[in-house]
Amino acid sequence: MTTLTKRRDFLSANQGKRAPMPGFVLLALDRRDADPAIRVGFTVTKKIGGAVVRNRLKRRLRALAREVLPERGLAGHDHVLIGRQDGVERDYALLRAELVKALGKLAR
């Protein structure tokens, strides 16, 4: 699993499928190349809160991705997790269930 760092990768992921959930929005874009690697990116806007709150939410999203994406992620896709306000205080097990549900929705 590779992390997205370039702005153009985040912008192109916005053209793919999306699955909004209460704690985050999941974007997935099929790269249409021969590489089956899963790439993932994380973003949280300043509307969510200060740096401490945003970093806390990004840590939670990174932990979710490390746990769920290797087994359920879409091969050959870029995944972007966009944090929402509810994701900061939401129960971790509930966030995990939402990520599994969102991946299942996008796999269809």
Side-chain angles (χ1 to χ4, degrees):
M1 201 165 58
T2 311
T3 304
L4 297 176
T5 56
K6 298 200 180 337
R7 183 173 190 267
R8 69 172 177 248
D9 293 333
F10 284 89
L11 292 176
S12 64
N14 203 26
Q15 304 302 314
K17 298 177 184 177
R18 71 180 45 232
M21 294 288 151
F24 58 86
V25 176
L26 175 64
L27 307 175
L29 176 72
D30 187 0
R31 292 192 308 273
R32 300 192 192 285
D33 58 7
D35 186 13
I38 295 173
R39 298 192 318 174
V40 63
F42 310 94
T43 183
V44 181
T45 66
K46 286 186 177 180
K47 285 192 272 185
I48 302 302
V52 173
V53 174
R54 291 194 315 269
N55 287 332
R56 180 174 176 224
L57 181 52
K58 277 196 273 190
R59 279 193 308 270
R60 296 184 92 203
L61 293 176
R62 278 194 296 268
L64 278 171
R66 273 193 307 268
E67 187 178 329
V68 176
L69 285 182
E71 60 191 32
R72 299 192 185 229
L74 306 172
H77 283 66
D78 288 344
H79 300 76
V80 175
L81 286 162
I82 303 171
R84 285 186 157 177
Q85 185 69 42
D86 289 343
V88 177
E89 297 298 326
R90 202 163 184 82
D91 184 46
Y92 184 80
L94 193 53
L95 281 175
R96 186 183 190 290
E98 289 172 355
L99 181 56
V100 170
K101 180 179 176 184
L103 286 167
K105 185 188 293 189
L106 293 179
R108 282 188 244 134

